Amino acid sequence: MFEGFALQMIELPEATLRVRHGGSGPPALLLHGHPRTHATWHRVAPLLAAEHTVVCPDLRGFGRSSKPADTPDHAGSSKRAKARDCVALMQRLGFDRFAIVGHDRGAYTAFRAAMDHPDRISHLAVLDAVPILEALERCDARFAQAWWHWFFFGQKSKPERAILADPDAWYSATAEQMGAEAYADYREAIHDPETVHGMIEDYRAGLGIDREHDAEDRRAGRRIECPTLALWSQRDDLEELYGDVLAVWRPWARDLTGHGLDCGHHMAEEVPEALADALRRFLKG
């Protein structure tokens, strides 16, 4: 897994992140979603590494990266805080400007990095996500039924107790789907109480402080300045919920392209070649 990549624990001003990095060329930072670790990219990263320096961290709160201190507003788990980690990490590796790709919860951090640090982000790719503010404002019975976990995870203590009672039953990934090494890494994460809490705090931040940050941007008229690619899984529910996914993103991005991929939610594991090809073409453009 990740042949030719370095694996490091990198201490940053606000967090210590576990990071894989390798390849050469223009830098691309790949951010995982819930409940994954950076290992979800193990089939995509080598395909990009021939043309790019590829960096794959565990986000703070996830995997083996450090866990932020709890605060009433969940600011340490906010996407703004995680975006600061992204900028600091890439600076530590020698890159002042870089492309950023985020899947699922990682897409919210990638989006926030592009909004908060437009001088640092050359390209933004968001996979299987729309802005948190858009999702919450468009919430209806279909969303509540399909994405009920957003609101359950927002409750105090109960989500962690439910998950840790039987993590393998709660999360249904398999070694066949993920690959044996990536699956072992994922299982270590979902069985660790501190990591489960860190992952759930990401959702608590989403319902509060992250939503507020999105709303502040809208009021100020801020938009994503760099080229933006939105990709979504055609066998997941983004099209069912929103119809035209690009129409949801268009008010937020000045230069937007995108399309669906024939796969389920975990596209990096299911269709790595198609995903890598879409990212390569976008990053060249």
Side-chain angles (χ1 to χ4, degrees):
M1 189 171 66
F2 290 99
E3 184 177 356
F5 279 61
L7 176 62
Q8 291 180 272
M9 296 296 296
I10 298 181
E11 186 174 348
L12 304 173
E14 299 181 48
T16 299
L17 304 186
R18 181 175 62 152
V19 183
R20 299 255 191 185
H21 56 96
S24 61
L29 179 66
L30 311 185
L31 305 180
H32 62 84
H34 172 93
R36 296 314 202 242
T37 71
H38 78 277
T40 193
W41 297 108
H42 76 100
R43 292 171 178 152
V44 173
L47 299 177
L48 296 178
E51 300 174 20
H52 296 274
T53 300
V54 181
V55 182
C56 306
D58 290 349
L59 291 164
R60 70 158 77 180
F62 288 73
R64 296 186 195 171
S65 289
S66 62
K67 311 304 186 278
D70 288 346
T71 59
D73 63 357
H74 312 289
S77 292
S78 71
K79 311 310 169 288
R80 175 158 287 166
K82 293 174 183 180
R84 292 195 300 268
D85 291 344
C86 292
V87 171
L89 170 63
M90 296 304 277
Q91 282 185 311
R92 181 66 58 85
L93 294 175
F95 303 110
D96 289 328
R97 188 168 169 83
F98 55 95
I100 191 166
V101 179
H103 174 254
D104 184 71
R105 305 301 295 185
Y108 305 132
T109 291
F111 165 69
R112 180 48 49 199
M115 294 295 281
D116 286 1
H117 308 278
D119 57 327
R120 302 288 192 181
I121 307 302
S122 64
H123 301 74
L124 167 67
V126 286
L127 316 183
D128 254 356
V130 299
I132 288 175
L133 180 64
E134 295 284 355
L136 292 173
E137 288 185 343
R138 294 163 185 262
C139 178
D140 56 14
R142 290 180 307 164
F143 182 93
Q145 183 175 18
W147 290 28
W148 59 272
H149 62 282
W150 273 35
F151 309 105
F152 178 61
F153 287 172
Q155 306 309 305
K156 184 177 180 179
S157 302
K158 292 181 179 180
E160 290 92 334
R161 291 174 62 187
I163 293 168
L164 290 166
D166 192 345
D168 295 309
W170 186 274
Y171 296 117
S172 56
T174 65
E176 290 73 24
Q177 173 190 355
M178 298 183 66
E181 291 178 88
Y183 178 70
D185 198 67
Y186 145 89
R187 281 199 78 240
E188 178 184 309
I190 66 171
H191 282 262
D192 176 52
E194 289 188 2
T195 300
V196 169
H197 178 65
M199 293 193 295
I200 298 305
E201 280 289 294
D202 184 88
Y203 283 86
R204 293 179 179 127
L207 294 177
I209 193 169
D210 293 333
R211 180 182 186 176
E212 294 169 9
H213 292 157
D214 286 4
E216 290 167 4
D217 285 335
R218 177 192 280 168
R219 288 192 295 270
R222 287 188 287 268
R223 301 175 72 189
I224 303 163
E225 300 295 337
C226 65
T228 303
L229 174 70
L231 299 175
W232 59 92
S233 306
Q234 292 176 323
R235 287 188 253 136
D236 201 20
D237 53 11
L238 226 58
E239 284 184 343
E240 181 181 341
L241 289 171
Y242 303 116
D244 185 353
V245 178
L246 293 181
V248 181
W249 276 105
R250 199 162 284 120
W252 296 90
R254 299 187 187 278
D255 179 0
L256 176 69
T257 56
H259 59 273
L261 295 177
D262 184 17
C263 62
H265 179 59
H266 293 286
M267 56 179 67
E269 297 163 7
E270 297 180 36
V271 288
E273 293 86 0
L275 176 56
D277 182 63
L279 292 174
R280 274 194 302 258
R281 287 186 282 110
F282 170 63
L283 295 176
K284 284 181 179 177

